[in-house]
Amino acid sequence: MKTITINDLKPGMFVVGVTRQDGHVRVKSQGWVRTQGAIEALQKAGVLEVEIDPDKALQAKQQTPPEHNEAAQQDNVTVHDPWHKTTSVDAELDLATALYEEAKGIQEKAFADVKAGKAIAVEEFKQTASGFIDSIFRNQDALACIARIREKDSYLLEHSLNVSILMSIFAKHLGLERNIIEQLATGALLHDIGKIKISNEILNKPGKLSDDEYHLMMDHAKYSYEIVAQSGLGQIATEIAGFHHERLDGSGYPFGKKADELSQYVRMAAIVDVYDALTAERVYKVGLTPIRAFRILKEGTPDHYDADLLAHFINCIGVYPVGTLVKLKSERIGIVASSNPKEPLKPVVKVFYHAKNMLYTEVKDIDLADKRVTDELEAAIKPEDFSIDLIRFFRHTMMP
Ligand SMILES: [Fe+2]
């Protein structure tokens, strides 16, 4: 155990108790502080000193010393480098996983609250968004990886989390200000909250919806607009919730707005929402590869989607985004663990399977950009073609 001042408390640390305060905080239970927002809340409540358990810190594996991190963050303010990383993907995965799981719980609760006619807990959403963005600024590959490898059956929850993560990565790539990214991420978390008012029969219908069903379904964006407007989360979040299905030529729903009424933020949300829906595995449909999803989005320009923003998005996500299952020329199969923006075809691949032998192998990082490595990337593949249970592998091998 170690006692530290509140100023030294960092996200990822495990707090055992409060040792000094000038308020009357009673900490409910021991646990990890996951976001800067949670630390600020403790600070505001008068907490001066806490006891932590260093052995349980989620970022115990962080490789860069804090001085370096600060310098890096300063760099970020002056020179915008969307690919800058202050920690390795392996070091970030633990915290990112914890954040993702916690966010899922908050989403679930919000859906239940709205169903029960209660207001949504706005602060929790702001903190979730802020935690995501912190993680993305340390190393975006961790959350991107988690967002890509998903369960098939909790689409509604995970789709909203993933759109929020992808929106934040996209916004960071465009060099938008932190406070704007936070509003975008929060809006994205809630963009489909209106679906709570649509019947499960329609939401989960595997086949095509009838005209009547489709009309009912379209209303979800109207409900999302109302719910987020009432929550007081502000204009940007409200627009994302209400207008993410609007299209530049006015053919979208539910309001039929046209280009001049659709902000850059809404245009970003439209792209990200469709991209995630197309690439998602569902119980009844196989997800498309990123390349195919990009192609479909491109066909929708300039009538539906903003062509410039789409080009930026494709550049930001890349043809082989982290989390993609790939086969190497050597027949080894693995997932892209870290992107390489300078040479997009040479990412770091975590291999774990041999395609010809059909056997799991030792897990190993192969950096295709390393001059000593002779292997090459062959193609993105589908897990089902090799009977690989990717989610099981990922959750059991790579996550805590
Ligand atoms: Fe939607």
Side-chain angles (χ1 to χ4, degrees), residues 186-216:
T186 318
L189 280 173
L190 289 163
H191 80 282
D192 269 345
I193 188 93
K195 283 195 175 164
I196 205 70
K197 303 204 175 190
I198 311 295
S199 79
N200 276 335
E201 247 166 72
I202 295 180
L203 280 185
N204 301 325
K205 187 172 171 181
K208 231 183 156 217
L209 297 178
S210 72
D211 283 355
D212 285 351
E213 288 168 335
Y214 193 65
H215 272 106
L216 287 171

Side-chain angles (χ1 to χ4, degrees), residues 96-389:
T97 307
L99 276 170
Y100 195 85
E101 289 307 318
E102 192 183 33
K104 236 177 176 178
I106 290 167
Q107 286 281 77
E108 238 161 7
K109 196 175 137 274
F111 276 89
D113 283 348
V114 173
K115 207 165 209 169
K118 286 195 255 173
I120 36 177
V122 172
E123 270 316 306
E124 289 184 349
F125 276 95
K126 282 190 182 165
Q127 279 195 20
T128 302
S130 173
F132 277 171
I133 296 162
D134 285 342
S135 174
I136 284 164
F137 272 91
R138 286 189 296 266
N139 189 330
Q140 64 187 44
D141 292 345
L143 274 176
C145 205
I146 296 167
R148 189 130 168 74
I149 295 167
R150 55 208 294 173
E151 310 267 15
K152 287 181 193 170
D153 49 4
S154 46
Y155 177 72
L156 186 50
L157 283 181
E158 298 205 342
H159 171 66
S160 299
L161 297 185
N162 297 346
V163 171
S164 179
I165 290 166
L166 291 170
M167 267 305 260
S168 306
I169 292 175
F170 188 14
K172 173 188 162 221
H173 188 85
L174 294 174
L176 301 183
E177 275 171 46
R178 167 88 193 207
N179 95 59
I180 301 282
I181 305 180
E182 279 182 17
Q183 295 177 63
L184 294 173
T186 318
L189 280 173
L190 289 163
H191 80 282
D192 269 345
I193 188 93
K195 283 195 175 164
I196 205 70
K197 303 204 175 190
I198 311 295
S199 79
N200 276 335
E201 247 166 72
I202 295 180
L203 280 185
N204 301 325
K205 187 172 171 181
K208 231 183 156 217
L209 297 178
S210 72
D211 283 355
D212 285 351
E213 288 168 335
Y214 193 65
H215 272 106
L216 287 171
M217 206 279 301
M218 289 198 298
D219 281 342
H220 82 268
K222 221 181 263 176
Y223 298 134
S224 290
Y225 183 86
E226 288 164 12
I227 293 166
V228 178
Q230 277 167 17
S231 74
L233 277 168
Q235 179 75 8
I236 294 178
T238 306
E239 281 190 14
I240 287 181
F243 308 156
H244 63 275
H245 290 290
E246 301 292 341
R247 298 294 177 250
L248 297 177
D249 61 358
S251 65
Y253 64 82
F255 304 105
K257 288 186 178 290
K258 282 203 174 135
D260 57 347
E261 297 172 285
L262 301 172
S263 68
Q264 180 197 0
Y265 308 137
V266 170
R267 295 170 189 218
M268 288 165 68
I271 292 170
V272 174
D273 180 46
V274 171
Y275 171 78
D276 189 70
L278 290 174
T279 52
E281 299 272 331
R282 303 285 296 269
V283 178
Y284 50 83
K285 101 175 184 9
V286 177
L288 299 184
T289 61
I291 301 176
R292 294 208 46 203
F294 292 148
R295 206 171 292 150
I296 290 173
L297 280 161
K298 265 190 178 163
E299 283 165 11
T301 61
D303 292 351
H304 292 176
Y305 312 108
D306 185 305
D308 279 349
L309 281 174
L310 179 61
H312 281 298
F313 182 67
I314 293 172
N315 184 266
C316 155
I317 298 298
V319 174
Y320 296 106
V322 279
T324 303
L325 190 66
V326 292
K327 194 171 130 201
L328 305 182
K329 287 240 162 79
S330 63
E331 297 288 330
R332 286 183 291 187
I333 285 178
I335 64 166
V336 176
S338 181
S339 54
N340 178 359
K342 283 197 195 116
E343 291 182 272
L345 299 181
K346 296 183 173 179
V348 176
V349 179
K350 220 177 242 308
V351 295
F352 59 89
Y353 192 82
H354 196 278
K356 266 231 175 92
N357 305 343
M358 289 171 39
L359 282 174
Y360 284 90
T361 60
E362 187 196 348
V363 180
K364 218 168 132 192
D365 279 344
I366 311 246
D367 182 355
L368 295 174
D370 187 331
K371 290 201 172 61
R372 289 163 299 178
V373 173
T374 48
D375 215 347
E376 279 173 54
L377 213 155
E378 194 176 270
I381 55 165
K382 289 190 190 129
E384 56 270 25
D385 293 344
F386 292 88
S387 56
I388 295 170
D389 187 341

